[in-house]
């Protein structure tokens, strides 16, 4: 397993949505699976986006150690020539048991519930990001469009091709890569995988993108709003579900084209997404992004192919619906912890099935074109206007409190409240400049 490996980057992503790591040298690799790397409880769960070290009533920043135990089954080689490898990790207590604050374990716990219910889930990420030339103090967007055009591809052709090669070498399957709508914006769509693997590959893809960009003299930002006034970056999450071998999001005999369980799942997401949005993109900037006419899904509703709906139903190509039909959650972004975001997505969907929730009528137009009265009549709602109010809704959500361990939720709320207190009153331009290259 470790042939040719001289260093192992043991990776995790924290409650601020920042990817962090410890590096084990070759001499430590033989015991990596059991021993991992030491990490303090505070660093694992209470570092803020600006690296402020926080405390909660039940987690003291100065006390307690954990182990980052790498999942060697997910090991990937980043640099074969230098011998650098990567692996995601679980946060474990010193006795080896998963710690309650481990976000990756939280996702595994939700998957165990799904397995009992007989569902087999797969998840696919679409990751938007912005590429800059220059320096962090004086960045310039690396292309000026046109959106989806040949020109930005050609201008960054070497980067595009090297990125595809690097992702393939790291074992990250890619569906497509293209220049996006905005200036300097690109998107990578990852192939669907089981939810934990999908979140792992999301984390790995971000690292590969950043390393490849640096090799080309470029800077990358995964921030939801890297430059106010320019296109914003989402991280759309696609969810597929099968039970008894059948795609629950496809039923040719249903008026909606969706199976009964699939309708319940969409209804469950719509019922809870307003209360969980702070898990799906918990930055102050996430709420700057959630604006109409930005294809961010800023209204709580669903529709077939509707890019302004928070839940976009994807029916699939004719003749391939059983293989392709899924639902897309558009409100997520890369400031989220992907394990928590996917866990919340699954929990919402499963709750809809448990409660046999009825799916509201489809919205077949841009919901912003409806009057307030029309939106109210059709059950179309809006999200909390800012992170502060979203955190209040998150803390009071019954679904959230029964899905996530109290210590994990306490740590998450503490980290995100610091972000709201510190940045919530600043203008978007100042927040964007401070956080642009944190993600």
């Amino acid at each position: 397993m470790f042939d040719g490996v001289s260093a192992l980057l043991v990776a995790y992503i924290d409650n601020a949505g920042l990817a962090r790591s410890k590096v084990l040298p070759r001499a430590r690799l033989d015991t990596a699976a059991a021993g991992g790397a030491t990490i303090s409880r505070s660093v694992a769960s209470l570092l803020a986006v600006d690296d402020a070290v926080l405390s909660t009533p039940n987690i003291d920043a100065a006390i307690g150690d954990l182990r980052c135990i790498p999942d060697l089954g997910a090991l990937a080689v980043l640099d074969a020539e230098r011998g650098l490898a990567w692996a995601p990790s679980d946060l474990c207590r010193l006795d080896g048991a998963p710690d309650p604050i481990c976000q990756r374990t939280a996702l595994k716990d939700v998957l165990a519930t799904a397995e009992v219910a007989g569902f087999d889930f797969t998840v696919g990420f679409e990751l938007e990001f912005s590429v800059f030339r220059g320096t962090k103090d004086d960045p310039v967007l690396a292309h000026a469009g046109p959106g989806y055009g040949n020109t930005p591809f050609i201008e960054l052709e070497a980067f595009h091709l090297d990125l595809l090669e690097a992702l393939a070498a790291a074992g990250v399957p890619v569906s497509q890569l293209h220049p996006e709508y905005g200036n300097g914006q690109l998107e990578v769509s990852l192939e669907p995988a089981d939810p934990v693997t999908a979140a792992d590959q999301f984390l790995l893809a971000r690292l590969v993108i950043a390393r490849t960009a640096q090799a080309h003299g470029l800077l990358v930002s995964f921030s939801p709003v890297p430059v106010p006034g320019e296109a914003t970056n989402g991280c759309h999450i696609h969810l597929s579900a099968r039970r008894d071998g059948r795609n629950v999001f496809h039923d040719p005999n249903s008026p909606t084209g969706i199976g009964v369980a699939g309708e319940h799942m969409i209804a469950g997401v719509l019922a809870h997404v307003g209360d969980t949005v702070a898990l799906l993109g918990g930055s102050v900037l996430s709420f700057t992004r959630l604006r109409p006419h930005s294809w961010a899904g800023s209204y709580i509703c669903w529709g077939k192919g509707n890019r302004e709906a928070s839940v976009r139903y994807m029916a699939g190509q004719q003749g391939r619906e059983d293989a392709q039909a899924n639902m897309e959650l558009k409100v997520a972004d890369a400031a989220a912890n992907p394990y928590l975001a996917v866990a919340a997505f699954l929990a919402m969907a499963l709750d809809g099935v448990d409660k046999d929730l009825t799916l509201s009528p489809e919205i077949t137009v841009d919901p912003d074109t409806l009057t307030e009265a029309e939106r109210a009549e059709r059950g179309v709602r809006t999200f909390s206007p800012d992170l502060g109010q979203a955190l209040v809704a998150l803390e009071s959500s019954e679904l959230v409190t029964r899905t996530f361990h109290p210590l994990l939720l306490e740590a998450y709320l503490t980290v995100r409240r610091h972000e709201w207190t510190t940045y919530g009153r600043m203008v978007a331009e100042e927040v964007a400049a401070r956080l642009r290259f944190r993600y």
Side-chain angles (χ1 to χ4, degrees), residues 209-351:
I209 291 167
R211 293 183 80 250
T212 308
Q214 181 169 300
H216 284 264
L218 300 169
L219 300 167
V220 169
S221 174
F222 299 99
S223 170
V225 185
V227 180
E230 296 286 349
T232 61
N233 290 325
C235 180
H236 309 151
I237 308 174
H238 290 260
L239 180 66
S240 302
R242 305 189 82 84
R243 184 161 64 177
D244 299 326
R246 295 184 176 182
N247 186 340
V248 305
F249 293 112
H250 173 59
D251 182 353
N253 299 316
S254 164
T256 62
I258 307 169
V260 173
E263 289 187 353
H264 291 330
M265 286 185 180
I266 296 174
V269 173
L270 295 177
H272 297 291
V273 70
D275 293 338
T276 61
V277 67
L279 280 172
L280 302 172
S283 168
V284 167
L285 294 169
S286 300
F287 295 84
T288 303
R289 174 180 170 265
L290 289 182
R291 298 291 183 266
H293 309 301
S294 61
W295 292 1
S298 60
Y299 283 98
I300 300 174
C301 59
W302 78 280
K304 295 177 182 176
N306 193 333
R307 288 178 173 82
E308 290 292 337
S310 56
V311 176
R312 182 182 179 212
Y313 172 61
M314 309 291 288
Q317 292 176 283
Q318 185 174 356
R320 303 184 66 191
E321 296 92 343
D322 183 68
Q324 294 181 346
N326 66 87
M327 70 163 149
E328 176 189 15
L329 191 59
K330 294 190 66 65
V331 296
D333 63 58
N337 179 298
Y339 300 103
L340 296 183
V342 173
F345 194 4
L346 298 183
M348 290 187 274
L350 290 169
D351 191 67

Side-chain angles (χ1 to χ4, degrees), residues 149-224:
N150 285 341
T151 298
F153 172 77
I154 294 168
E155 290 174 351
L156 298 173
E157 181 175 332
F159 170 66
H160 280 97
L161 297 180
D162 283 354
L163 178 56
L164 287 174
E165 185 177 327
L167 288 167
V172 180
V174 173
S175 295
Q176 64 180 27
L177 165 66
H178 64 271
E180 250 290 343
Y181 173 75
N183 293 333
Q185 191 180 38
L186 306 176
E187 179 182 294
V188 172
S189 298
L190 305 181
E191 286 284 347
D194 72 85
V196 173
T197 298
D200 291 343
Q201 290 179 343
F202 166 90
L203 186 56
L204 177 56
R206 280 176 52 168
L207 179 60
V208 172
I209 291 167
R211 293 183 80 250
T212 308
Q214 181 169 300
H216 284 264
L218 300 169
L219 300 167
V220 169
S221 174
F222 299 99
S223 170

